[in-house]
Amino acid sequence: MHLAVVEPGWSLEAWRERARAALLAGVAPEHLQWDGDAQQGLALASPLPEAPEAQGRVTVPAALLELAGAVVCHRDPGRHALLYRLLWRIARGERRLLERATDPDVVAAAALAAAVRRDCHKMKAFVRFREGGGGEGAYVAWFEPDHWIVDRVAPFFAKRFAGMRWAILTPYRSVRWEGGALAFGPGAVRADAPAEDAQEDLWRTYYASIFNPARLNPTMMRQEMPQKYWKGLPEAELLPSLLRDAGRRVRDMAEREAQAPRRRIPARPAEAPPTDDGSLAAARVLAAGCQRCPLWEPATQTVWGEGPEDARLMFVGEQPGDAEDLTGRPFVGPAGALLDRAFADAGIDRSAAYLTNAVKHFRFQQRGKARLHQRPTTGHVNACHAWLRRELATVRPEVIVCLGATAAAAVLGAGFSLLEERGTWHQLGNGVRVLATVHPAWVLRQPAAAQGAAYRGLVDDLRLAA
Ligand code: URA
C-alpha cells in the first residue's frame, strides 16, 4: 500500500504531482491511500516515490483537469482518490470515460464539481466588504464557504475590485489584495472583520429603492440566497419587511397601472421645421421632431446636448434618464449629480464642456408610477447616430470622453471593450482624441463597499481628460 499526501488539499497542482508520480510508478487505485481517506492503515502505507524519480510523460485530458480543478476544492475526503480512479481508468484506455454520464465515478465527480461551483457562485454574490479593518482605506469581508474555495475565487475579486485594498477572511484561510498581488494567509474568526460600516445605511436605502416586489418569488429567493448568508448582508435586515409588504405593494402598483397613463409634461412644443443651415441650433430643432426610432413616442422630449458650441471637451453619455427626459437637459438626475462631483474632484469645469448622449430619447419601462431605465439597443444607437455625428462635426472637440459602454460603442465602434480599454487614449480618423470610462450610474449601482473605489476610478480617468 502506498500513501499520497496532497498539501494543501485543495491544490490541483499538488494533486497532479502526486497522481503523476503514482501513475508513472504503476500504482493501482486500490493500492493507493490518499491523505484524506479513512485513517486506518496509514502507518503501514509507504510513501510514493518523489516526482523526480518518476520522470515521464502523463497526458491528462483537458476535461479531466477542468473537472479536477473544481473537485479538489470539495470537502469530501474521498475526492483525491476519486480523481485518481478517473485518471487511472483514462490512462488505461477508457479515453472517453468522462463522456459516459452514467458511470458512477463520473457521476460522483460531477456532483462534487457542481457543489463547488455553486459555493463559488455564492461567494461571489454574498461577500460584502466593510470599510475599516486593516488600516486606512482597506475593506474587509467575512465569509463562511462550504468548501475549500478561497484560492479558486480570489482572482475573481482581484479583477472585480482591482482598485481597492481588500481582504476576505474565512474560518480556514484568508486572502488579501494589496499592491496588485494576492497574498494568502491563515483562517480567522468573524470578530476579526468589521461588523458594520458608515456606508451601509446608504446601501440599504438604495437596495430598498431598487427592490421590485412584482418580481419577488420568495421560494426562489430563499434558494438563491439561503438564510445562512443573511448574517453577512447589510440588506438582510430589510428583507423580512420587504417580503411582508410585497403583496400590498404589488396590488397598489396594479391599481395605479390600471389608471390612464399620465404625461407629466402635457405636449411637445410645436415648432415649424427650420431650414437646415448646418448649425447646431437648427439640428437641435430638427431633432426635437425626430421619429427615426420608436423611442420618441413614450418619451417626453428629445434631450439634446448642452454646452458651448466651441467646447474643447465633449462628454457622451448613454441616454437621458427620468429627470433628463422631464427637464430636457442632459445629466441633471442622480447620475448627473455624481458626475458633477467627479468633475469638481477632477478639476473639470462643466460649463466649459459639451455634454450629450448617444441616444437622445429616454428608454424606459413603466412600473406603476416609476419609469425604469432600459438600456438602448444597437438599433436605437444607430438611429440616433446621425445626431451625434452632427454634434461632433459642429462642436469639433479636441477630446471626447465616453461615459459607459454604450457611448464608447457609439463613438469608437461596436468592437470596443470597456473592460479592457477603459482609461486609454484612442484617436478618431480626424485626429480627435477619445477616452472611455465608466458611466456614473454604474458607480451608483456598485455595492456600498465598492462605491468609493469605483468613484475614485472615474475621477482618475476624468483627470486624464482634464
Ligand atoms: N445617463 C446618461 O447617460 N445621460 C444622461 O443624460 C443622464 C443619465
Side-chain angles (χ1 to χ4, degrees):
M1 198 64 161
H2 288 281
L3 170 66
V5 177
V6 179
E7 185 57 45
W10 54 80
S11 161
L12 178 62
E13 283 317 307
W15 174 82
R16 271 184 86 177
E17 191 270 317
R18 296 287 69 204
R20 181 171 151 271
L23 200 65
L24 290 171
V27 181
E30 56 277 21
H31 296 134
L32 185 57
Q33 198 149 44
W34 294 82
D35 50 345
D37 289 353
Q39 296 297 303
Q40 77 274 18
L42 281 189
L44 301 174
S46 60
L48 280 170
E50 285 304 318
E53 288 172 35
Q55 289 298 349
R57 262 176 68 79
V58 173
T59 315
V60 184
L64 178 62
L65 276 184
E66 200 193 318
L67 182 71
V71 171
V72 284
C73 297
H74 201 283
R75 278 187 194 260
D76 187 324
R79 68 197 184 283
H80 297 134
L82 170 63
L83 287 172
Y84 186 62
R85 236 171 13 249
L86 288 171
L87 176 63
W88 177 264
R89 291 176 59 191
I90 291 172
R92 297 277 145 155
E94 294 183 67
R95 299 298 299 175
R96 309 189 67 166
L97 173 61
L98 295 185
E99 290 166 34
R100 293 222 303 274
T102 53
D103 180 276
D105 283 343
V106 175
V107 171
L112 298 191
V116 167
R117 291 196 185 105
R118 228 176 3 258
D119 203 29
C120 292
H121 171 70
K122 298 292 181 220
M123 183 165 172
K124 289 175 191 171
F126 298 132
V127 154
R128 292 288 184 272
F129 290 104
R130 291 176 162 120
E131 197 165 10
E136 183 76 4
Y139 293 87
V140 180
W142 170 252
F143 191 73
E144 294 173 39
D146 288 338
H147 301 289
W148 315 116
I149 57 169
V150 170
D151 296 57
R152 188 172 167 84
V153 186
F156 163 86
F157 286 99
K159 194 162 174 210
R160 180 91 160 72
F161 299 114
M164 65 194 223
R165 282 200 299 134
W166 53 258
I168 301 175
L169 312 182
T170 82
Y172 83 97
R173 192 155 170 83
S174 60
V175 56
R176 280 164 216 286
W177 173 252
E178 241 178 81
L182 288 169
F184 293 91
V189 291
R190 169 183 277 276
D192 293 335
E196 172 94 25
D197 75 10
Q199 307 266 21
E200 290 188 4
D201 275 344
L202 189 68
W203 167 242
R204 276 190 285 266
T205 308
Y206 175 69
Y207 185 86
S209 74
I210 58 159
F211 181 86
N212 182 352
R215 287 258 176 99
L216 178 66
N217 175 339
T219 318
M220 275 280 284
M221 182 172 174
R222 287 199 174 88
Q223 266 168 19
E224 277 300 304
M225 200 199 231
Q227 222 137 350
K228 76 170 228 186
Y229 299 110
W230 288 26
K231 54 182 184 286
L233 304 177
E235 66 270 29
E237 70 183 53
L238 302 174
L239 291 174
S241 63
L242 289 172
L243 291 171
R244 198 176 52 240
D245 295 345
R248 179 185 53 74
R249 288 180 58 197
V250 172
R251 279 192 303 280
D252 289 353
M253 278 163 66
E255 274 167 28
R256 278 200 303 270
E257 244 162 31
Q259 296 165 3
R262 282 184 304 152
R263 254 247 157 90
R264 282 185 267 175
I265 290 186
R268 261 162 236 280
E271 272 184 73
T275 35
D276 190 357
D277 58 6
S279 70
L280 207 54
R284 179 195 184 106
V285 181
L286 287 168
C290 180
Q291 298 187 0
R292 290 180 189 206
C293 80
L295 294 186
W296 70 272
E297 194 156 17
T300 308
Q301 57 192 313
T302 305
V303 178
W304 190 250
E306 185 177 274
E309 285 198 23
D310 58 352
R312 296 170 63 196
L313 188 52
M314 180 186 270
F315 290 87
V316 182
E318 180 192 74
Q319 62 161 355
D322 187 70
E324 289 80 14
D325 171 79
L326 296 174
T327 57
R329 295 183 51 211
F331 287 105
V332 292
L338 186 128
L339 188 61
D340 284 345
R341 214 177 98 207
F343 278 163
D345 287 341
I348 291 173
D349 175 6
R350 173 170 173 152
S351 67
Y354 188 89
L355 273 73
T356 191
N357 285 298
V359 172
K360 307 226 177 334
H361 280 119
F362 178 32
R363 182 171 191 230
F364 61 92
Q365 198 183 17
Q366 190 82 42
R367 280 284 168 79
K369 269 193 192 160
R371 302 191 301 169
L372 304 182
H373 165 275
Q374 277 193 303
R375 221 175 153 179
T377 64
T378 310
H380 300 133
V381 174
N382 290 343
C384 231
H385 207 254
W387 299 124
L388 182 62
R389 280 202 304 275
R390 181 79 178 251
E391 287 174 298
L392 290 171
T394 9
V395 178
R396 300 177 59 186
E398 284 168 31
V399 168
I400 301 171
V401 178
C402 302
L403 300 168
T406 303
V411 175
L412 292 164
F416 184 84
S417 162
L418 188 61
L419 205 63
E420 286 163 21
E421 300 179 80
R422 138 181 209 185
T424 59
W425 286 106
H426 298 264
Q427 200 152 22
L428 298 183
N430 58 3
V432 178
R433 300 173 74 211
V434 184
L435 182 85
T437 184
V438 294
H439 195 285
W442 175 83
V443 176
L444 287 173
R445 283 197 305 273
Q446 295 308 294
Q451 238 179 47
Y455 176 76
R456 284 193 293 278
L458 171 65
V459 173
D460 287 346
D461 289 345
L462 294 181
R463 279 203 187 105
L464 295 174

